[in-house]
Amino acid sequence: MSEELPPGWAAVRLGDIITPRRDKVSPSSMGDAPFLGLEHVEAHTGRILGTGTVGAMKSAVARFQAGDTLYGRLRPYLNKVVTPRFEGGASAEFIVFPGGNGIIDADFLRMRLLSAEFVAFTATLDAGDRPRVDWDGISRFEFALPPLAEQRRIGARIGALFARTRQARADLLRIAPLAARYRERLRLKAFDGDLVSNADDKAGKPLDLPDYKPPARFENLPDIPSVWRWAEIGMVSAVAGGLTKNQQRTQQPIEIPYLRVANVYADELRLNAIETIRVSAAERERVTLEPGDLLVVEGNGSVEQIGRVAVWDGSIPGCGHQNHLIRVRPRTGLPSRYLLHWLMSPYGRDVLETIASSSSGLHTLSLSKVGAIPVPVPPPGIAATIAHSLDDSITASKRTEREATRALALLDHLEQAILAKAFRGELVPQDPNDEPAAVTLARARATGPTAPNGRRRRAA
């Protein structure tokens, strides 16, 4: 290390100051002792999410003691580092460092292994089909070692600061599910008739629609206000299919851009990858999208993704769509956004999942199924007000989610900045009364402390 070290610090390699435990034992020898696998440790934080039982394991485990530090060497688990306060057995994918060796403090070691500097170093070492690092590689990691007393002060200070960032992270992680529940609740209120006034003089007359009563199988539909009507989507929209891509299309005279299932998500268009397809003039006229068209995903391996819907924004002129996207084009003055919110509401989702099910166990939609979806139809002015109100409130909630996501990323940077400051000697003050790290190391080498595997250290 070329930079000047703080007073009392020493430049070392990891292998100079600690030796991993080597003892692997049969699971039967430890019985009901707790077991820690990689799946039991939260990345980046070292939080233990649970334990197994050693006796249930089939292969040898690494024995660890309370206060040892376990380092997960298998990617993508390079940031799984934990210092358990109990004894047990660990996956062989952990390197186990003994605690309390009189040279490096366990909390300081754990923080060093979590630092961006160490993670970057290990990224140059991993190899194999399931990339992992080994002790020979990471033992060469060079860093500045503070006096033992200062290590403990650093560990305590980092622990106090990270307790605050952990609480902030926990609070921020609650925002996304809360926002999702808020949007769900808004849509429930909208289609219960509770979001806007139904006595608005500007609402307009109810649409002139055929008499229609939803089938009894749609048992979870809301009770709508008296000025609203029930209709099928096919009564208020034109429902159409798209194009099938095949080899014969190479003979068609016209090439147009077209949307696939991969471009349509829940109230979101992803247009970074647009393909083209060759069509006839009649086909182009039939499938060309207009701004305000709804695009409904016909099928998906997951029932939760059936009926994903977005509104076409017209950003690609002359764009068509494939056959796995069903186009719904409102034609009675009912806003596209109103229909989208209905299909994304808990009521609409329940209808979609009901009609998409089949005796074969597959979940798909069709033109006839989409056309038969029941939809509550308020007077046009009320429908427009509902759509605008939902858009405004949902946009605000999504903005809050994005801000929370950015704040989470900033917390990660903040924690790494805290660690970097600590390892430069700037987080806690140096104490001239601390025994210098070089003196501690020299004494350890002179006395030759017993290594964890039973061998004595060789004097330098």
Side-chain angles (χ1 to χ4, degrees):
M1 299 181 66
S2 57
E3 65 269 19
E4 184 177 349
L5 299 177
W9 292 40
V12 299
R13 291 186 174 191
L14 188 61
D16 295 338
I17 60 171
I18 199 165
T19 302
R21 296 190 185 278
R22 305 286 188 181
D23 46 335
K24 301 290 191 293
V25 300
S26 167
S28 60
S29 67
M30 297 186 67
D32 294 333
F35 171 80
L36 282 176
L38 291 170
E39 69 277 11
H40 295 129
V41 179
E42 187 175 55
H44 308 290
T45 68
R47 188 165 66 96
I48 295 175
L49 304 175
T51 61
T53 302
V54 172
M57 300 299 110
K58 295 182 179 180
S59 56
V61 299
R63 186 193 297 270
F64 64 85
Q65 297 178 8
D68 286 353
T69 297
L70 280 58
Y71 170 73
R73 66 194 190 96
L74 177 65
R75 291 184 76 88
Y77 303 111
L78 285 178
N79 264 15
K80 292 207 169 185
V81 189
V82 63
T83 304
R85 304 305 178 185
F86 54 85
E87 296 182 2
S91 163
E93 296 296 354
F94 281 114
I95 297 174
V96 180
F97 296 105
N101 72 349
I103 300 173
I104 187 166
D105 177 71
D107 287 335
F108 182 86
L109 173 63
R110 180 170 59 85
M111 297 300 180
R112 212 48 179 105
L113 298 178
L114 285 169
S115 68
E117 182 184 8
F118 182 74
V119 172
F121 175 79
T122 60
T124 67
L125 304 174
D126 56 29
D129 294 335
R130 301 182 70 199
R132 53 173 54 80
V133 298
D134 58 25
W135 168 241
D136 288 341
I138 66 174
S139 68
R140 299 192 296 272
F141 177 65
E142 296 181 350
F143 66 101
L145 182 72
L148 187 59
E150 187 173 344
Q151 292 177 43
R152 291 168 179 153
R153 293 197 299 274
I154 290 172
R157 181 60 178 154
I158 291 175
L161 293 172
F162 276 24
R164 297 180 184 178
T165 60
R166 281 195 301 272
Q167 183 58 56
R169 183 175 285 105
D171 291 341
L172 288 168
L173 287 172
R174 282 195 286 268
I175 289 176
L178 285 173
R181 287 198 292 273
Y182 170 71
R183 292 192 290 270
E184 183 177 273
R185 183 60 187 158
L186 276 177
R187 287 182 172 125
L188 285 172
K189 286 173 65 68
F191 299 109
D192 286 338
D194 295 334
L195 190 65
V196 300
S197 171
N198 290 287
D200 189 342
D201 292 338
K202 299 179 182 179
K205 295 181 179 180
L207 295 177
D208 185 15
L209 297 169
D211 289 338
Y212 168 78
K213 183 178 180 181
R217 64 179 178 137
F218 302 126
E219 56 187 22
N220 294 322
L221 295 176
D223 294 324
I224 59 175
S226 59
V227 295
W228 295 29
R229 301 287 185 269
W230 280 107
E232 291 182 333
I233 278 187
M235 297 176 182
V236 295
S237 305
V239 181
L243 298 165
T244 302
K245 193 166 189 178
N246 52 45
Q247 288 297 324
Q248 288 72 32
R249 291 206 163 275
T250 58
Q251 307 302 315
Q252 297 296 337
I254 305 168
E255 185 176 61
I256 64 169
Y258 84 118
L259 299 184
R260 300 163 294 132
V261 169
N263 301 121
V264 177
Y265 289 80
D267 197 12
E268 179 186 358
L269 295 169
R270 299 182 186 178
L271 306 179
N272 55 315
I274 298 295
E275 294 188 2
T276 60
I277 191 169
R278 300 197 72 83
V279 299
S280 66
E283 286 176 323
R284 179 174 63 178
E285 183 176 355
R286 178 174 66 83
V287 302
T288 297
L289 295 168
E290 298 178 2
D293 285 347
L294 275 76
L295 294 161
V296 181
V297 173
E298 173 191 77
N300 194 282
S302 168
V303 67
E304 291 80 11
Q305 297 298 318
I306 294 290
R308 277 191 335 234
V309 58
V311 176
W312 177 237
D313 59 5
S315 58
I316 303 175
C319 192
H321 61 103
Q322 73 171 144
N323 60 314
H324 296 303
L325 293 175
I326 296 172
R327 187 194 71 201
V328 176
R329 180 172 292 167
R331 62 183 181 184
T332 56
L334 203 61
S336 301
R337 299 292 303 174
Y338 176 87
L339 285 176
L340 176 136
H341 287 303
W342 167 248
L343 292 174
M344 292 186 67
S345 73
Y347 296 127
R349 289 301 312 167
D350 185 70
V351 169
L352 280 165
E353 292 178 16
T354 299
I355 67 172
S357 62
S358 68
S359 58
S360 65
L362 299 176
H363 294 84
T364 59
L365 296 174
S366 65
L367 299 184
S368 60
K369 286 181 176 181
V370 171
I373 292 173
V375 56
V377 182
I382 292 176
T385 301
I386 288 173
H388 291 150
S389 179
L390 286 173
D391 280 344
D392 290 345
S393 298
I394 288 172
T395 296
S397 77
K398 289 183 176 180
R399 186 184 306 117
T400 300
E401 272 193 86
R402 290 194 297 272
E403 290 171 353
T405 300
R406 285 195 291 268
L408 283 168
L410 290 175
L411 276 180
D412 294 337
H413 290 301
L414 174 60
E415 289 178 341
Q416 286 300 326
I418 290 170
L419 293 177
K421 189 171 183 178
F423 302 139
R424 292 194 303 265
E426 299 172 0
L427 190 63
V428 300
Q430 280 80 47
D431 186 340
N433 296 316
D434 290 343
E435 179 179 79
V439 174
T440 305
L441 283 167
R443 183 173 64 254
R445 289 168 179 153
T447 57
T450 302
N453 56 13
R455 296 192 298 270
R456 296 182 66 82
R457 296 185 190 274
R458 185 172 58 190

